[in-house]
Amino acid sequence: MSIQAFSDYLLLEKKYSEHTVLAYTRDIENFQKFLVQQQYTNDVSKVNYFEIRQWIIALVDQNITNRSINRKISSLNSYFKFLLKTEEIKLNPLKQHKALKVGKKVQLPFSEKELLTVLESTIKVVDFETARNHFIIELFYATGIRRIELVKLKISDIDRSNGLIKVLGKRNKERYIPLIESLRISYNRYIEYRNNLPVVIDDEMLFLTKDGLKIYEKLVYRIINKYFSEASTKSKCSPHVLRHSFATHLLNQGADLNTVKELLGHASLASTQVYTHSSITDLKKVHSNSHPRNQK
């Protein structure tokens, strides 16, 4: 069974994004190269667990983190499950595998002060690109959407009359997020500049490059990194940190965990709970000030 068949399955049947499918197939192809280099086999479907363990050891020797190795093995496991489904193999060689231990990754959000500094001081809106960049940051912070979701937004997804934004999330699941006033202002300003672009090629897409083409993920990352590197001392300044900031700040202000879950487009509460760690200080403060047994 070819890797391409697996790729088509993920894309067409499982409805995974192109980015996710590319990551899965790249991991499997890298494993295939390892097998050939070690003169084991050139057919991934015929491997045994010993050969997989040798790959893991080789990855560790390359100083690749346990988290990244687990992700690669997860890709491989998905491929084997697909081969079981299509009856190409009878036994998954990873059935008894246990993931490598990883330390709990703490993702620190931007502070409210850092957000305000970027939105109100760092970005000076004077042209199309600065108006677009301000709107992108405002949108990330006001909605908590993922980078790929922002890139895929269309003009028609902004419903100004009802004050909603339609977001197409993972596995093509739609959700609606309120269009708050600050976002309306930033949107209107961006649209004015957008309408004056000399050439617009991808006209249905909301976010464009200065050449009128659909914006791309790497550019979005560079935009966020540029502005927040100036305003923050954090080592990581990415769109995901903005998503994290959105969730954390809502929870700090008393938002219900289920509501934040729906806004983020998570399938389960477990995914949303990772954002609660930085709210513990506020939680302790509320508990201390509010619990009847602690009243004087």
Side-chain angles (χ1 to χ4, degrees):
M1 179 65 69
S2 71
I3 296 175
Q4 183 60 50
F6 175 60
S7 174
D8 292 340
Y9 165 74
L10 294 179
L11 198 62
L12 302 175
E13 292 193 38
K14 299 292 285 184
K15 305 297 183 185
Y16 285 5
S17 70
E18 292 181 7
H19 178 78
T20 300
V21 174
L22 181 62
Y24 273 58
T25 54
R26 187 186 295 121
D27 289 337
I28 297 166
E29 288 168 353
N30 287 341
F31 177 55
Q32 188 176 48
K33 289 177 183 177
F34 170 80
L35 294 174
V36 173
Q37 288 169 355
Q38 299 300 312
Q39 299 182 343
Y40 289 138
T41 177
N42 62 356
D43 189 345
V44 179
S45 67
K46 291 182 170 58
V47 303
N48 55 46
Y49 187 61
F50 169 80
E51 292 161 344
I52 297 172
R53 284 289 300 171
Q54 293 305 112
W55 187 44
I56 294 173
I57 292 170
L59 294 173
V60 171
D61 288 341
Q62 295 171 39
N63 292 321
I64 295 175
T65 65
N66 285 4
R67 190 181 300 276
S68 294
I69 293 173
N70 285 341
R71 195 208 71 233
K72 293 175 185 296
I73 298 302
S74 177
S75 299
L76 201 57
N77 192 37
S78 295
Y79 182 58
F80 289 136
K81 287 180 178 179
F82 169 71
L83 294 178
L84 280 172
K85 182 181 178 70
T86 55
E87 300 183 346
E88 293 293 317
I89 61 174
K90 294 183 179 179
L91 181 67
N92 183 346
L94 280 168
K95 186 176 181 180
Q96 303 301 323
H97 174 75
K98 292 184 178 180
L100 302 181
K101 291 183 179 180
V102 295
K104 188 174 181 181
K105 189 176 181 181
V106 177
Q107 182 73 71
L108 294 176
F110 296 123
S111 67
E112 292 183 35
K113 182 180 179 180
E114 288 171 333
L115 263 302
L116 288 175
T117 297
V118 170
L119 289 170
E120 298 181 5
S121 303
T122 306
I123 305 180
K124 306 296 184 183
V125 178
V126 295
D127 55 18
F128 166 77
E129 287 187 289
T130 50
R132 178 200 64 197
N133 297 349
H134 188 280
F135 180 39
I136 284 175
I137 293 171
E138 186 84 66
L139 185 62
F140 272 132
Y141 185 45
T143 65
I145 64 175
R146 301 176 178 92
R147 176 169 41 159
I148 187 62
E149 293 171 343
L150 180 139
V151 167
K152 288 184 176 180
L153 280 175
K154 298 179 179 179
I155 287 282
S156 58
D157 292 329
I158 307 296
D159 183 354
R160 285 185 292 179
S161 60
N162 291 310
L164 294 171
I165 303 171
K166 182 174 73 175
V167 178
L168 189 62
K170 290 185 175 181
R171 303 186 187 183
N172 292 326
K173 184 179 178 181
E174 290 183 355
R175 68 183 187 278
Y176 290 86
I177 303 175
L179 183 65
I180 62 176
E181 185 58 30
S182 62
L183 203 52
R184 286 178 184 267
I185 295 170
S186 190
Y187 167 79
N188 290 336
R189 181 170 54 191
Y190 164 68
I191 290 299
E192 283 184 24
Y193 280 107
R194 186 186 184 281
N195 289 340
N196 289 320
L197 283 174
V199 178
V200 173
I201 298 171
D202 296 321
D203 61 336
E204 67 173 3
M205 306 309 298
L206 177 59
F207 289 108
L208 304 174
T209 67
K210 62 182 180 180
D211 299 317
L213 296 168
K214 175 186 174 183
I215 204 169
Y216 49 97
E217 288 190 68
K218 285 185 178 179
L219 176 55
V220 174
Y221 179 89
R222 289 203 300 266
I223 290 168
I224 302 305
N225 187 260
K226 171 189 173 184
Y227 291 112
F228 281 92
S229 292
E230 295 177 24
S232 175
T233 58
K234 291 180 176 59
S235 58
K236 188 173 183 180
C237 298
S238 69
H240 186 72
V241 179
L242 268 174
R243 177 172 164 85
H244 186 72
S245 304
F246 162 82
T248 302
H249 294 175
L250 280 182
L251 290 168
N252 285 348
Q253 293 298 322
D256 176 70
L257 194 62
N258 270 301
T259 301
V260 177
K261 165 184 170 291
E262 294 300 318
L263 290 170
L264 291 171
H266 283 159
S268 68
L269 269 180
S271 299
T272 314
Q273 285 170 337
V274 300
Y275 297 106
T276 62
H277 72 85
S278 53
S279 300
I280 293 299
T281 301
D282 295 87
L283 189 63
K284 286 181 178 178
K285 188 185 298 183
V286 171
H287 182 270
S288 177
N289 293 336
S290 305
H291 199 282
R293 295 289 289 172
N294 200 44
Q295 302 303 308
K296 295 180 180 180

